[in-house]
Amino acid sequence: MTTIDIAKKPISRYPVPSLDDVPEDLRARMLEVQEKAGFVPNVFLTLAHRPDECRAFFAYHDALMLRDSGLTKGEKEMIVVATSGANDCLYCIVAHGAILRVYEKQPLIADQIAVNYRKADISARQKAMLAFAMKVATVSSTIEDADFEALRKHGFSDEDIWDIGAIAAFFALSNRMANMIGMRPNDEFYLMGRVLRKKEAAS
Amino acid sequence: MTTIDIAKKPISRYPVPSLDDVPEDLRARMLEVQEKAGFVPNVFLTLAHRPDECRAFFAYHDALMLRDSGLTKGEKEMIVVATSGANDCLYCIVAHGAILRVYEKQPLIADQIAVNYRKADISARQKAMLAFAMKVATVSSTIEDADFEALRKHGFSDEDIWDIGAIAAFFALSNRMANMIGMRPNDEFYLMGRVLRKKEAAS
Amino acid sequence: MTTIDIAKKPISRYPVPSLDDVPEDLRARMLEVQEKAGFVPNVFLTLAHRPDECRAFFAYHDALMLRDSGLTKGEKEMIVVATSGANDCLYCIVAHGAILRVYEKQPLIADQIAVNYRKADISARQKAMLAFAMKVATVSSTIEDADFEALRKHGFSDEDIWDIGAIAAFFALSNRMANMIGMRPNDEFYLMGRVLRKKEAAS
Amino acid sequence: MTTIDIAKKPISRYPVPSLDDVPEDLRARMLEVQEKAGFVPNVFLTLAHRPDECRAFFAYHDALMLRDSGLTKGEKEMIVVATSGANDCLYCIVAHGAILRVYEKQPLIADQIAVNYRKADISARQKAMLAFAMKVATVSSTIEDADFEALRKHGFSDEDIWDIGAIAAFFALSNRMANMIGMRPNDEFYLMGRVLRKKEAAS
Amino acid sequence: MTTIDIAKKPISRYPVPSLDDVPEDLRARMLEVQEKAGFVPNVFLTLAHRPDECRAFFAYHDALMLRDSGLTKGEKEMIVVATSGANDCLYCIVAHGAILRVYEKQPLIADQIAVNYRKADISARQKAMLAFAMKVATVSSTIEDADFEALRKHGFSDEDIWDIGAIAAFFALSNRMANMIGMRPNDEFYLMGRVLRKKEAAS
Amino acid sequence: MTTIDIAKKPISRYPVPSLDDVPEDLRARMLEVQEKAGFVPNVFLTLAHRPDECRAFFAYHDALMLRDSGLTKGEKEMIVVATSGANDCLYCIVAHGAILRVYEKQPLIADQIAVNYRKADISARQKAMLAFAMKVATVSSTIEDADFEALRKHGFSDEDIWDIGAIAAFFALSNRMANMIGMRPNDEFYLMGRVLRKKEAAS
């Protein structure tokens, strides 16, 4: 009855449940995403191997990523892509790179940020945001008040800074889970957002 | 009305709600912990600044740490302490070091594991467990099938290995949050479990 | 008279000559590439600021990349993409990622290898090849006879190993030049090879 | 007929051609160097195993090192020695250390710069030059406009900065080739330039 | 005849002499410490395996640690604890952490400094002192005059700076010896100074 | 009355006593070295700024370096030179490099070992010795029983291993002191042992 076509390449080192075997609440969410994106991202299916952890994972994700913020949705994805680049996490770079391209309607930006945010086509403010995120991702024990001060100069509020740091922290978890279980990105993500629809390109 | 005595030293770079201002469900949990431990650990109060994230954080924590597992509760805390040592996270080393001492009824073990698990008074199996956890914590992109094989030789099931890796991953998040907001450990943790009660010492 | 459309975003920190100002031999080569690819890759235009170095650069490039070898053309590009990933070189990842997709008729492989060759859809032999290339790229002073032995077991001849190491070494130069002058990849590269033509997909 | 005395210790992991077997143009160059230096540096003989790459290597080398520049010949060699020190490349430290001593008529400077340029008997301007070169050699993706600005303050033109960066980049290649093939420095280099001739010492 | 109770867990990879077998001068010193502390710290017993080195070790230690200085005895121990943390040396963190707690009459400070001196309950001046000590401990070749200048601004004399650097340097030796021979901290150290005596708490 | 000719370049960031101002016992030792070597090595003069520490330093040095051992005097100096290379310590590389050349009657070996012991003209046993010394110098907390086992296979006794590790540890101190005070090597060291006397060359 499931419409999900699990690729021949394994998408996890662990058993992956079929949509039918997934608890009702998680299945509802997956079907909703499938409706919208046309497929179920592998992060749902692979983490659903442990429903309780899976629920908490997406509750945390939504609390951070869907929250009203001084950051745009695109900026939040920039943080995900940059820090996932630092952690060499294939799943998150590919999947969130796609989302970033879609949100920003900018086909080049994800590859740029995944490799080196210093050279991306983004603002100085956004580069400062990513510098802080990278510090949280890689040497968080050295964060000092001066790091907060630097962001405030760019107009970020303290709540914005929490968002930046907390997204970097959450994807520190996400990257490690993906790397540990060998989570494979859906093939669909690689091309998504790379070709602008006419309406977008005109804008 | 709150009985919480917030130390003069700030416990977070962010505002800390009083127990009265915390949503009902979170307050209930905090009071429960207070009942048991005699105080509310600062991780609850400081993260409650953002209730939705706080709820997800503890849901995730409980899903991992309270789950039935091939690992003992003490072994799970060993993973927390070792990886928090790698991330130089004061809060998690001090707070989970205390819990580890209590669970293991062993006053030296937490300091040993926080500094260098190779020299701790633990089994070869536990050292293998921590070697894998440290790899997830610090260079997760290099995890390979051989790392799983090494743990299976020590009798760990694949579900046990998920536990090890997922705890390391969750505290990668936790350590970064604590370092980012400047979370201060409660003074009470430092001494906890260092002096065995007579009954324990006799056993 | 030049047909080159230099993007508004600077493609180098240094002056970029117009095709008319480039010495005859270099212009001939650029026109040849333009004929084939539809555009002149920025590496030609930006390095042409110094014609003598530019000539030597492409002579070296061709000596390595066009040489008959036990490695396929696609495998040579894998080495470029993997080591450029280690050096965080945007130009080389994007441009050679495109070439790799075209050669291998495989739209996913470049992103995989740029992030983490261990998880790419390639053979064990190719992973061994990339492990050696990464060692040359990052810690070449530790290369020992045992590293050669490991490759010979996968059927690589000593001349193949020279190819692997020399390509990694040449792009150590290339990556540093691109990073130093701020070489910007042509927009065209990002999409190239991501959509298979019908004929290719059928094969 | 060759006068080259190949040491009993192998000078490369690869076959080394005799002077007779080297293509005419490369042999001419080697004989010229031999005439001047009294011996053929092993870099010529070992790289001549692959004549096309060898030609490109020396064309690149000459384009950079013989070019008119705001840097003196000695300063160019300082860059080679400092960055080869960072890459632990025995051949380049020993051979170019010798050349540096000869150019600068200064017997101590090469050992100083190979170990720690901060403590060498050179000017503040030369230390700034080497700081940039080391950044290109080791973390080139972090080069920013501010790095250029810092050098301009010391009077370096943008063309001088290209020279500095390009020499560091070229020897990133050279160091890796030497480390990969196990290139052995000629014994003669070790002592060269360490004892000033009377005329030099008097000046 | 010896009163020393050597734990069942080995305190060194090397043979440990009994107090009776230790040369007279070293025994006298050990008995003196035992008189004062209630036990003989394992550093004495384990290093006494080589009496000449042991004598020099303690002569050096005393010359630095007992010397009149602009640093307090507690500040000197802060340097030991912070740099031993950087070297992951269990013995020195535990033993000198105890001494630090006793000197400072502050039960939390040692754990704080061992993990992350930036978050310890110490003054800005003391943090600057530890930043310099950490630089000597981990990247001493990059020490420059500016590092001295930074400390002078906090009121440290050049002799104070020697003390800071020399203590960091001496424990670079001590940490490596302890790690190499597997020196085990006495159990007594773990709890020492964690509970203030009434008189102290009142002050 | 002193015959010491202090170079115009400062040999320390700290005041350097004249021979007349040095305590009798240290002066006697310096004169003895001067008698033998023809000059007083700067390590004596610069450390004599603090006579007590200086005495302990040389007592420790002699206890290790003059001790009967399964290592030759030359092998002990190899350890000094290799680990000082890892610490980028100019003084120790230059001064002990000279001593190593003299002891081994081998003019090339010191430069080789300072840069990359893997490529030095030494035995496999000596390379294993240096691999252990480098581990003590750089990541001592990871030393395990297996590291001892590896050396025993090369015929090293446990006392030999102590020598190896202790020399690496002592020069961890020495390198940091030299780097901190800016100790300058005497010019004489650079050339010493590079030209074999006829008698030596004949042997």
Side-chain angles (χ1 to χ4, degrees):
Chain A
M1 183 79 150
T2 165
T3 62
I4 291 172
D5 188 3
I6 298 200
K8 286 159 211 160
K9 310 253 179 201
I11 64 171
S12 170
R13 285 192 172 99
Y14 284 85
V16 177
S18 76
L19 254 190
D20 291 344
D21 295 336
V22 164
E24 181 54 33
D25 59 328
L26 290 174
R27 183 166 60 237
R29 172 152 188 177
M30 292 190 202
L31 290 172
E32 186 184 4
V33 175
Q34 189 182 33
E35 178 78 19
K36 199 169 164 185
F39 63 96
V40 180
N42 290 339
V43 65
F44 289 96
L45 290 164
T46 55
L47 292 189
H49 173 61
R50 293 256 184 117
D52 288 346
E53 296 166 37
C54 188
R55 264 181 214 106
F57 182 91
F58 286 106
Y60 212 136
H61 175 276
D62 293 354
L64 277 171
M65 303 302 277
L66 305 184
R67 190 175 182 281
D68 270 344
S69 164
L71 312 181
T72 67
K73 288 194 298 178
E75 286 171 341
K76 289 179 176 178
E77 296 295 332
M78 288 178 197
I79 297 168
V80 180
V81 171
T83 59
S84 299
N87 288 325
D88 293 334
C89 177
L90 184 64
Y91 186 88
C92 296
I93 291 173
V94 170
H96 288 272
I99 301 172
L100 172 55
R101 287 189 296 268
V102 170
Y103 281 164
E104 293 287 313
K105 297 184 175 43
Q106 220 283 35
L108 312 185
I109 203 171
D111 293 340
Q112 293 171 347
I113 289 176
V115 174
N116 189 352
Y117 72 88
R118 294 171 198 81
K119 295 197 175 160
D121 296 331
I122 56 177
S123 67
R125 184 180 179 271
Q126 289 166 336
K127 288 181 186 176
M129 172 187 83
L130 294 178
F132 184 84
M134 293 296 259
K135 199 165 180 182
V136 172
T138 59
V139 283
S140 67
S141 69
T142 68
I143 296 272
E144 294 185 302
D145 292 341
D147 297 306
F148 281 70
E149 213 45 67
L151 286 183
R152 288 182 196 123
K153 279 182 189 158
H154 280 284
F156 290 104
S157 72
D158 280 17
E159 292 305 314
D160 296 340
I161 301 176
W162 178 298
D163 285 341
I164 300 168
I167 294 170
F170 179 73
F171 281 88
L173 152 63
S174 183
N175 293 169
R176 281 160 181 77
M177 283 304 298
N179 278 333
M180 195 255 295
I181 69 170
M183 195 186 293
R184 183 182 171 86
N186 306 57
D187 291 3
E188 290 87 341
F189 280 126
Y190 286 83
L191 194 60
M192 197 182 292
R194 291 191 181 274
V195 184
L196 294 183
R197 297 175 216 158
K198 276 179 193 163
K199 200 171 132 190
E200 290 170 356
S203 69
Chain B
M1 185 83 148
T2 165
T3 61
I4 291 171
D5 188 3
I6 297 198
K8 286 159 211 162
K9 309 254 179 200
I11 64 172
S12 170
R13 285 192 172 98
Y14 285 85
V16 177
S18 75
L19 254 190
D20 290 344
D21 295 336
V22 164
E24 182 53 33
D25 59 328
L26 291 174
R27 184 166 57 238
R29 173 153 187 175
M30 293 190 202
L31 290 173
E32 187 184 2
V33 176
Q34 190 181 30
E35 178 76 19
K36 199 168 163 185
F39 63 96
V40 180
N42 289 339
V43 65
F44 289 96
L45 289 165
T46 56
L47 292 189
H49 173 60
R50 295 254 184 119
D52 288 347
E53 297 166 36
C54 189
R55 264 182 214 105
F57 182 92
F58 286 105
Y60 213 136
H61 175 277
D62 293 353
L64 278 169
M65 303 302 279
L66 306 183
R67 190 175 183 280
D68 270 345
S69 165
L71 313 181
T72 67
K73 287 195 299 176
E75 285 170 341
K76 289 179 176 179
E77 296 295 331
M78 288 178 196
I79 296 168
V80 180
V81 171
T83 60
S84 299
N87 288 323
D88 293 333
C89 177
L90 184 64
Y91 186 88
C92 296
I93 291 172
V94 171
H96 288 272
I99 301 171
L100 172 55
R101 286 189 295 268
V102 170
Y103 281 163
E104 294 287 314
K105 296 185 175 43
Q106 219 282 33
L108 311 185
I109 203 170
D111 293 341
Q112 292 171 346
I113 290 177
V115 174
N116 189 352
Y117 73 86
R118 293 170 198 81
K119 296 197 176 161
D121 296 331
I122 56 178
S123 68
R125 185 179 179 272
Q126 289 166 334
K127 288 182 186 176
M129 171 187 83
L130 293 178
F132 183 85
M134 292 297 258
K135 198 166 180 181
V136 172
T138 60
V139 284
S140 66
S141 69
T142 67
I143 296 274
E144 295 186 301
D145 292 341
D147 297 305
F148 280 71
E149 213 45 67
L151 286 182
R152 288 182 196 121
K153 279 181 190 160
H154 280 283
F156 290 105
S157 72
D158 279 17
E159 292 305 313
D160 295 340
I161 300 176
W162 178 299
D163 286 340
I164 298 168
I167 293 170
F170 179 74
F171 282 89
L173 153 63
S174 182
N175 292 169
R176 281 159 182 78
M177 283 305 296
N179 278 333
M180 196 256 294
I181 70 170
M183 194 185 293
R184 183 181 171 87
N186 306 57
D187 291 4
E188 289 88 341
F189 281 126
Y190 287 81
L191 194 59
M192 196 182 292
R194 290 191 183 276
V195 185
L196 295 182
R197 296 174 217 158
K198 277 179 193 162
K199 200 170 133 191
E200 291 169 356
S203 72
Chain C
M1 185 78 152
T2 166
T3 61
I4 292 171
D5 188 5
I6 298 201
K8 285 160 211 160
K9 310 255 180 200
I11 63 172
S12 171
R13 285 191 171 100
Y14 284 86
V16 177
S18 76
L19 253 189
D20 291 345
D21 295 336
V22 164
E24 182 54 33
D25 59 326
L26 290 173
R27 183 166 58 238
R29 173 151 188 178
M30 293 190 200
L31 290 172
E32 188 184 3
V33 176
Q34 189 181 30
E35 179 77 19
K36 199 168 163 185
F39 62 96
V40 181
N42 289 339
V43 65
F44 289 96
L45 289 164
T46 56
L47 292 189
H49 174 61
R50 293 253 184 121
D52 288 347
E53 296 166 37
C54 188
R55 264 180 214 107
F57 181 91
F58 286 105
Y60 212 137
H61 175 277
D62 293 354
L64 277 171
M65 302 301 279
L66 305 184
R67 190 174 182 282
D68 271 345
S69 165
L71 312 181
T72 67
K73 288 195 297 178
E75 285 171 340
K76 289 179 176 179
E77 295 295 332
M78 289 179 196
I79 296 168
V80 180
V81 171
T83 59
S84 299
N87 289 322
D88 293 333
C89 178
L90 184 63
Y91 186 89
C92 296
I93 291 172
V94 171
H96 288 272
I99 301 172
L100 172 54
R101 286 189 295 268
V102 169
Y103 281 163
E104 293 288 312
K105 295 185 175 44
Q106 219 284 31
L108 312 186
I109 201 171
D111 293 341
Q112 292 171 346
I113 289 176
V115 174
N116 190 351
Y117 72 87
R118 294 171 197 80
K119 297 197 176 161
D121 296 330
I122 56 178
S123 67
R125 184 180 179 271
Q126 289 166 335
K127 288 182 187 176
M129 171 187 83
L130 294 178
F132 183 84
M134 294 296 259
K135 198 165 181 183
V136 172
T138 58
V139 284
S140 67
S141 69
T142 66
I143 296 273
E144 294 185 302
D145 291 341
D147 298 304
F148 281 70
E149 212 47 65
L151 287 182
R152 287 181 198 123
K153 279 180 190 160
H154 280 283
F156 290 105
S157 72
D158 280 17
E159 292 304 315
D160 296 339
I161 301 176
W162 177 300
D163 286 340
I164 298 168
I167 293 170
F170 179 73
F171 281 88
L173 153 63
S174 183
N175 293 169
R176 280 160 182 76
M177 282 305 297
N179 278 333
M180 196 256 295
I181 70 171
M183 193 185 294
R184 183 182 171 87
N186 305 59
D187 291 4
E188 290 87 341
F189 281 125
Y190 287 82
L191 194 59
M192 196 181 292
R194 291 192 182 274
V195 185
L196 294 182
R197 298 174 217 160
K198 277 178 194 166
K199 200 171 132 192
E200 291 169 356
S203 72
Chain D
M1 183 82 150
T2 166
T3 62
I4 293 171
D5 189 4
I6 298 199
K8 286 160 211 160
K9 310 255 180 200
I11 63 172
S12 171
R13 285 191 172 99
Y14 285 85
V16 177
S18 76
L19 255 189
D20 291 344
D21 295 335
V22 164
E24 181 55 33
D25 60 326
L26 290 174
R27 183 164 61 237
R29 173 152 189 178
M30 292 191 201
L31 290 172
E32 188 185 0
V33 176
Q34 188 181 32
E35 178 78 21
K36 202 169 161 183
F39 62 96
V40 180
N42 289 338
V43 66
F44 289 96
L45 290 164
T46 55
L47 293 189
H49 173 61
R50 293 255 184 119
D52 288 346
E53 296 166 38
C54 188
R55 266 181 212 106
F57 181 91
F58 286 106
Y60 213 136
H61 175 276
D62 293 354
L64 277 171
M65 302 302 277
L66 306 183
R67 191 176 181 279
D68 271 344
S69 163
L71 312 181
T72 66
K73 288 194 297 178
E75 286 171 341
K76 289 179 175 178
E77 296 295 332
M78 288 178 196
I79 296 168
V80 180
V81 172
T83 59
S84 299
N87 288 323
D88 293 333
C89 177
L90 183 64
Y91 186 88
C92 295
I93 291 173
V94 171
H96 288 271
I99 301 172
L100 172 54
R101 286 189 295 267
V102 169
Y103 281 163
E104 293 287 313
K105 296 185 173 46
Q106 221 283 34
L108 311 186
I109 202 171
D111 294 340
Q112 293 171 346
I113 289 177
V115 174
N116 189 351
Y117 72 86
R118 294 170 197 81
K119 296 199 176 159
D121 296 331
I122 57 177
S123 67
R125 183 180 179 272
Q126 289 166 336
K127 288 182 186 176
M129 173 186 82
L130 294 178
F132 183 85
M134 293 297 258
K135 199 165 179 181
V136 172
T138 59
V139 283
S140 67
S141 69
T142 68
I143 296 273
E144 295 186 302
D145 292 341
D147 297 306
F148 280 70
E149 213 45 66
L151 286 183
R152 288 181 196 123
K153 278 182 191 158
H154 280 283
F156 290 104
S157 72
D158 280 17
E159 292 305 314
D160 296 340
I161 301 176
W162 178 300
D163 285 340
I164 299 168
I167 293 170
F170 179 74
F171 281 88
L173 153 63
S174 184
N175 293 168
R176 280 160 181 77
M177 283 305 297
N179 278 333
M180 195 255 295
I181 69 171
M183 194 184 292
R184 183 182 171 86
N186 305 58
D187 291 3
E188 290 87 341
F189 281 126
Y190 287 82
L191 194 60
M192 197 182 292
R194 292 193 181 273
V195 185
L196 294 182
R197 297 174 216 159
K198 277 179 193 165
K199 201 170 132 192
E200 291 170 354
S203 72
Chain E
M1 184 85 150
T2 166
T3 62
I4 291 170
D5 188 5
I6 297 199
K8 287 160 210 160
K9 309 254 180 201
I11 64 171
S12 170
R13 285 191 171 99
Y14 284 85
V16 177
S18 75
L19 254 190
D20 291 344
D21 295 336
V22 163
E24 181 55 33
D25 58 328
L26 290 174
R27 183 166 60 235
R29 174 154 186 174
M30 293 189 201
L31 291 172
E32 186 184 3
V33 176
Q34 190 181 30
E35 177 77 20
K36 200 169 162 184
F39 62 96
V40 180
N42 289 339
V43 65
F44 289 96
L45 289 165
T46 56
L47 293 189
H49 174 60
R50 292 254 185 121
D52 288 346
E53 296 167 36
C54 188
R55 265 180 214 107
F57 181 91
F58 286 105
Y60 213 136
H61 175 277
D62 293 354
L64 277 170
M65 302 303 277
L66 305 184
R67 193 175 179 280
D68 270 343
S69 164
L71 313 181
T72 66
K73 288 195 296 177
E75 285 170 340
K76 288 180 177 178
E77 296 296 332
M78 289 178 196
I79 296 168
V80 180
V81 172
T83 59
S84 299
N87 289 324
D88 293 333
C89 177
L90 184 64
Y91 185 88
C92 296
I93 291 173
V94 171
H96 288 272
I99 301 172
L100 172 55
R101 286 189 295 268
V102 169
Y103 281 164
E104 294 286 313
K105 297 184 174 39
Q106 221 283 35
L108 312 185
I109 202 170
D111 293 341
Q112 293 171 346
I113 289 177
V115 174
N116 189 352
Y117 72 87
R118 294 171 198 80
K119 296 199 175 159
D121 296 330
I122 56 177
S123 67
R125 183 179 179 273
Q126 288 167 335
K127 288 182 186 175
M129 172 187 83
L130 294 179
F132 183 85
M134 292 296 258
K135 198 165 180 182
V136 172
T138 59
V139 284
S140 67
S141 70
T142 68
I143 296 272
E144 295 185 304
D145 292 340
D147 297 306
F148 280 70
E149 213 46 65
L151 286 182
R152 288 182 196 123
K153 279 181 190 159
H154 280 285
F156 290 104
S157 72
D158 280 18
E159 291 306 313
D160 295 340
I161 301 176
W162 178 300
D163 285 340
I164 299 169
I167 293 170
F170 179 74
F171 281 88
L173 153 63
S174 183
N175 293 168
R176 281 160 182 77
M177 283 304 298
N179 278 333
M180 195 256 293
I181 69 170
M183 193 185 293
R184 182 180 172 88
N186 306 59
D187 291 3
E188 290 88 341
F189 280 127
Y190 287 82
L191 193 59
M192 196 182 293
R194 292 192 181 274
V195 185
L196 293 183
R197 297 174 215 159
K198 277 179 194 164
K199 200 169 133 191
E200 290 169 355
S203 71
Chain F
M1 185 80 153
T2 165
T3 61
I4 291 171
D5 189 3
I6 297 199
K8 286 160 212 161
K9 310 255 179 199
I11 64 172
S12 171
R13 286 191 171 99
Y14 284 86
V16 177
S18 75
L19 255 189
D20 290 344
D21 295 336
V22 163
E24 182 54 31
D25 59 327
L26 290 173
R27 184 166 59 238
R29 173 153 187 178
M30 293 189 200
L31 290 173
E32 187 184 2
V33 176
Q34 189 181 31
E35 179 78 20
K36 200 169 163 185
F39 62 96
V40 180
N42 289 337
V43 65
F44 289 96
L45 289 164
T46 56
L47 293 189
H49 174 59
R50 294 253 184 119
D52 288 347
E53 296 166 37
C54 189
R55 264 180 215 106
F57 181 92
F58 286 105
Y60 212 136
H61 175 277
D62 293 354
L64 278 170
M65 303 302 278
L66 306 184
R67 190 174 181 280
D68 271 344
S69 164
L71 313 181
T72 67
K73 288 194 298 178
E75 285 171 340
K76 289 179 175 178
E77 296 295 332
M78 289 178 196
I79 296 168
V80 180
V81 171
T83 60
S84 299
N87 288 324
D88 293 333
C89 177
L90 184 63
Y91 186 88
C92 296
I93 291 173
V94 171
H96 288 272
I99 301 172
L100 172 55
R101 286 188 295 268
V102 169
Y103 281 163
E104 293 287 313
K105 296 185 175 45
Q106 220 282 35
L108 312 185
I109 202 171
D111 294 340
Q112 292 171 346
I113 289 177
V115 174
N116 189 350
Y117 72 87
R118 293 171 198 81
K119 297 197 175 159
D121 296 330
I122 56 178
S123 67
R125 184 179 179 272
Q126 289 166 335
K127 289 182 186 176
M129 171 187 83
L130 293 178
F132 183 85
M134 293 296 259
K135 199 165 181 183
V136 172
T138 59
V139 284
S140 67
S141 68
T142 67
I143 297 273
E144 296 185 302
D145 291 342
D147 297 305
F148 280 71
E149 212 46 65
L151 286 182
R152 288 182 196 123
K153 279 181 191 159
H154 280 283
F156 290 104
S157 73
D158 280 17
E159 291 306 313
D160 296 339
I161 301 176
W162 178 299
D163 286 339
I164 298 168
I167 293 170
F170 178 75
F171 281 88
L173 153 63
S174 183
N175 293 170
R176 281 159 182 77
M177 282 306 297
N179 278 334
M180 195 256 293
I181 69 171
M183 194 185 292
R184 183 181 172 86
N186 306 58
D187 291 5
E188 290 87 341
F189 281 126
Y190 287 82
L191 194 59
M192 196 182 293
R194 290 190 182 276
V195 185
L196 294 183
R197 296 176 217 158
K198 277 178 192 164
K199 201 170 133 191
E200 290 169 356
S203 72

